[in-house]
Amino acid sequence: MSTPPTPSLLLLHLPPSILCGIDLLTFTTTPTFHGIKSLPSGLHFLFTSPSASLSPRDGFWFLIPRSTPPPILHRKWDPERETLVPCTEDEARAFVIGKGGWKEVYEKRLTPYRQSAVEGEATAEDNKWEWLTEHVTPGLLTRFTRSEEWTIGSTSSGVQDRDEIPGLSTQEARSVIGEEKELGMLGIDLKRTWREGAVGRERTEQARDKSWVLADVVAKCVPEVSGEGMKVGEEEEKWKSVILGQMEVCFLMVLTLANYSCMEEWKRILGAVLTCERAVWEKPRFFAAFIRLLKKQLERVDDVEGGLFDMSDDGAGFLKGLLKGFKRTLGQKSGDVGDRADDVEEEYLEVEKWVKEQYGWELGDEFVRKGTLQLEDGEMVEMETGEMEGEDESGEYAPVIVEL
C-alpha cells in the first residue's frame, strides 16, 4: 500500500492520554493512535488539549474534498506549544516509514472516523454534524479565523470581547494573560443598531427593529449585496451564508472549545435576528432557516460543559424573552404579507413545542395577572402579579415619552 485507500488525517508524535476531538466525537488518545481514516468529504474540526480537565484547547478546521486519489492531511505535535502544527510531506513520509509503512499505519494506527459505522454508511452523528455546518464555507472560516490555516483556541477572542485590566496597557495586559488570537466577528453592537446620522423616527425604528443592522453587517461582509439588481432569493442566500454561517461556527466553538467570545457572538446574533420586524416579511426563507437552525443547536446545549446557559424556566430569561418578542412580531403580520411567512411560523411552532416539552417554557402571553384567591382559612382575597411587566413592557417597564 503506497497511500491510504480512504481520506485520512495523519497526526505525528501525538502523546498518549491527551484529550482529542473531531467534530462531535471526543476521546482520549492511546499510544497506538496516530490519526483518523475514512473521513467523509466536507468540513471538519479537530481539537486537542493536554488534559481532559478544563485546560485550554486548540483546534483547526480542515476540508476533505471529493478527489481521486483520496487526500492525505498531516499535522505534528509541538511539545513546547502543546498543540498540533503543520508539518511537511517529508516529515510525514519519514514518520510512516519509521512505523512500518502505510499498510501498517493505516490498518493498525489510524482510527475510523466513526468506529460504530458500517463501511460506507452515515451515522446519525454524521448527519448532525452536516446539519450544524450547513452554511459554513471555506471563505467564512478564513474571515472568521483571520488565517488560511483556520486555527482557533479556547482563548481566541473578538476585539469587543477582550477583557481590559485597569491600570495596564494593552501590551502589559497581553504579557499577563497571554497573546490572544483575534477572531473576525460580525461587529454587531446591540446598543447601537441605527445608521450613522439617523435621527428622529428613523433612529427610533432602527433601535427597535434590528433589520437595518443585519443588512449592514451582510453588506460589509459581502459588498456585492446591496439589494439592487439582485433577486430576493439570492440576497437571502447571502444572509444565510454570512449570519447563519457565523452562528454555526460560533456555536460549535462553544461546544468543542468552550470559547467565551464565540458564546457572546452567538448571543449577539440571536439578539439581532430575533428582534427584527421588517426583514421577517421581506426575507421569510432566511428567518425560517434561522429558526430551524436554532432548534438544532438547542438540542445540543446539554453537550456544552457546564451547560450553554441556565435553561430552567427562571434562568433562561435571555433566550426566552427573545422568543416571546419574536412571537409577538409574528402575530403582527399584516394582510399584504400573505402566506410568505407561513414557513417562519411553522418553524417557530416547532421550537415553541420543543422548549415547552424539554424545559416547561411558556412563550405565550396568556397569563392570569389578576384574580381572586382562596386562602386556607376560606378567606377570599384579590391578587395581582406584576412579574410579566418586564416582558410586555407594561407597568414600571412601560415606555415613557420624555420632552427634550
Side-chain angles (χ1 to χ4, degrees), residues 382-404:
E382 191 174 273
M383 303 289 292
E384 184 175 0
T385 177
E387 292 182 1
M388 306 304 294
E389 290 181 350
E391 296 186 4
D392 61 9
E393 297 183 341
S394 63
E396 65 176 298
Y397 297 94
V400 177
I401 298 176
V402 179
E403 293 185 6
L404 300 178

Side-chain angles (χ1 to χ4, degrees), residues 283-354:
K283 296 174 176 61
R285 283 182 289 184
F286 164 78
F287 282 89
F290 168 83
I291 296 296
R292 188 162 51 248
L293 171 61
L294 178 60
K295 180 175 180 292
K296 292 174 184 175
Q297 292 184 339
L298 291 178
E299 291 172 350
R300 310 288 308 196
V301 294
D302 292 335
D303 295 349
V304 179
E305 292 185 17
L308 190 63
F309 49 80
D310 185 359
M311 295 294 286
S312 67
D313 193 48
D314 294 329
F318 160 73
L319 180 57
K320 191 176 175 184
L322 289 175
L323 289 173
K324 283 188 173 184
F326 192 73
K327 183 175 183 177
R328 285 194 290 269
T329 297
L330 294 178
Q332 297 169 0
K333 179 174 65 174
S334 59
D336 59 347
V337 173
D339 59 358
R340 282 181 294 168
D342 286 356
D343 289 345
V344 185
E345 294 174 335
E346 289 177 8
E347 295 296 342
Y348 182 87
L349 289 175
E350 289 294 320
V351 171
E352 184 177 31
K353 177 183 176 182
W354 188 84

Side-chain angles (χ1 to χ4, degrees), residues 3-7 65-72:
T3 59
T6 64
R66 296 181 182 273
S67 61
T68 304
I72 306 169

Side-chain angles (χ1 to χ4, degrees), residues 152-167:
I152 181 173
S154 297
T155 59
S156 301
S157 176
V159 174
Q160 62 202 105
D161 300 314
R162 287 182 174 170
D163 292 329
E164 295 184 2
I165 302 178

